[in-house]
Amino acid sequence: DAKTTQPTSMDCAEGRAANLPCNHSTISGNEYVYWYRQIHSQGPQYIIHGLKNNETNEMASLIITEDRKSSTLILPHATLRDTAVYYCIVRVDRVGYNQGGKLIFGQGTELSVKP
Amino acid sequence: GAVVSQHPSWVICKSGTSVKIECRSLDFQATTMFWYRQFPKQSLMLMATSNEGSKATYEQGVEKDKFLINHASLTLSTLTVTSAHPEDSSFYICSAREKTGQYYEQYFGPGTRLTVT
């Protein structure tokens, strides 16, 4: 599975958009980009994933560059409860491809949302 | 989304004893389950992958005789830390994967805090 690079930490003002970047320059054609977050002392929580098109759900938006070498997770209106470590992971998802890839976590970005 | 539970949520044991942690998928069948370990201020480290009815596959550097994994059913996996020592104190997190059509969905449990005294 391809590796990712994320900033170690970021701050965001409450109510503003939080934009979390991720570089995955060695991503291969059948690998998806996944985002999870981990609030202190809890298990990771799935946020969103995508292959090459931009995706949006009730939690966030995912913007993937055309060359797929980087992506940005957007939390449109950050709240204090969004303070967490955010992990960007790339992996194979489809059945039949090595039974799906394993989720290997990097160091993530520690997002602090401040009042 | 689907729910994964872990039991116990925390445990304290004495050095030299064994501890079993259970992981259950509550409303789906998990073809594969994963076990992670997380030390303070660090990321999750994958320990092993287990498929129902077969032996677990351990990541490099993880002692299979120390961390016994059993995946006896599609909804239950257990991790037993044998002869625990203080350095085994950590946050253990399981994850269960469900096959939905042509893709996989993966869900995480809330974690188990192990303290070895």
Side-chain angles (χ1 to χ4, degrees):
Chain A
D1 295 326
K3 295 179 71 172
T4 63
T5 305
Q6 298 177 251
T8 303
S9 63
M10 291 181 65
D11 289 341
C12 177
E14 188 178 19
R16 304 295 295 269
N19 297 282
L20 292 90
C22 178
N23 286 320
H24 31 78
S25 58
T26 60
I27 191 171
S28 59
N30 59 359
E31 288 182 313
Y32 285 68
V33 179
Y34 278 78
W35 284 84
Y36 283 80
R37 73 180 182 184
Q38 186 181 27
I39 296 169
H40 183 62
S41 294
Q42 298 182 23
Q45 176 190 21
Y46 167 81
I47 302 173
I48 198 167
H49 76 282
L51 182 62
K52 54 184 177 181
N53 297 320
N54 297 339
E55 301 287 344
T56 295
N57 62 21
E58 64 277 6
M59 289 184 69
S61 294
L62 173 61
I63 308 299
I64 303 174
T65 58
E66 193 169 343
D67 62 7
R68 301 207 326 121
K69 292 185 177 182
S70 65
S71 61
T72 301
L73 177 74
I74 301 172
L75 307 178
H77 305 288
T79 70
L80 299 178
R81 289 178 295 178
D82 292 320
T83 293
V85 179
Y86 287 76
Y87 296 98
C88 167
I89 304 167
V90 294
R91 70 148 205 189
V92 172
D93 182 62
R94 191 173 176 88
V95 173
Y97 284 85
N98 193 28
Q99 298 190 347
K102 295 177 283 191
L103 284 175
I104 305 298
F105 287 77
Q107 292 307 306
T109 296
E110 187 167 8
L111 175 68
S112 296
V113 181
K114 300 182 183 300
Chain B
V3 176
V4 176
S5 70
Q6 282 185 241
H7 178 79
S9 55
W10 61 270
V11 57
I12 301 172
C13 71
K14 292 187 176 181
S15 186
T17 62
S18 295
V19 174
K20 181 184 285 188
I21 302 170
E22 289 187 351
C23 175
R24 293 181 185 273
S25 57
L26 297 186
D27 50 3
F28 67 98
Q29 293 186 326
T31 53
T32 304
M33 287 187 172
F34 304 87
W35 287 94
Y36 293 80
R37 180 169 56 180
Q38 186 175 33
F39 293 110
K41 301 289 188 183
Q42 294 187 21
S43 185
L44 286 78
M45 185 194 79
L46 180 64
M47 300 174 67
T49 302
S50 72
N51 293 297
E52 184 262 341
S54 61
K55 288 184 178 180
T57 302
Y58 291 80
E59 295 297 308
Q60 191 172 10
V62 178
E63 301 173 59
K64 62 180 181 181
D65 293 330
K66 181 168 185 62
F67 298 100
L68 302 179
I69 292 172
N70 184 280
H71 192 165
S73 77
L74 287 172
T75 60
L76 173 65
S77 176
T78 59
L79 168 69
T80 301
V81 183
T82 62
S83 186
H85 291 284
E87 56 266 32
D88 298 322
S89 298
S90 187
F91 193 49
Y92 291 87
I93 304 169
C94 76
S95 180
R97 188 165 73 187
E98 175 187 31
K99 190 165 72 174
T100 57
Q102 288 296 307
Y103 298 94
Y104 292 105
E105 301 285 350
Q106 189 162 340
Y107 310 98
F108 287 82
T112 296
R113 176 81 53 194
L114 170 64
T115 302
V116 184
T117 61

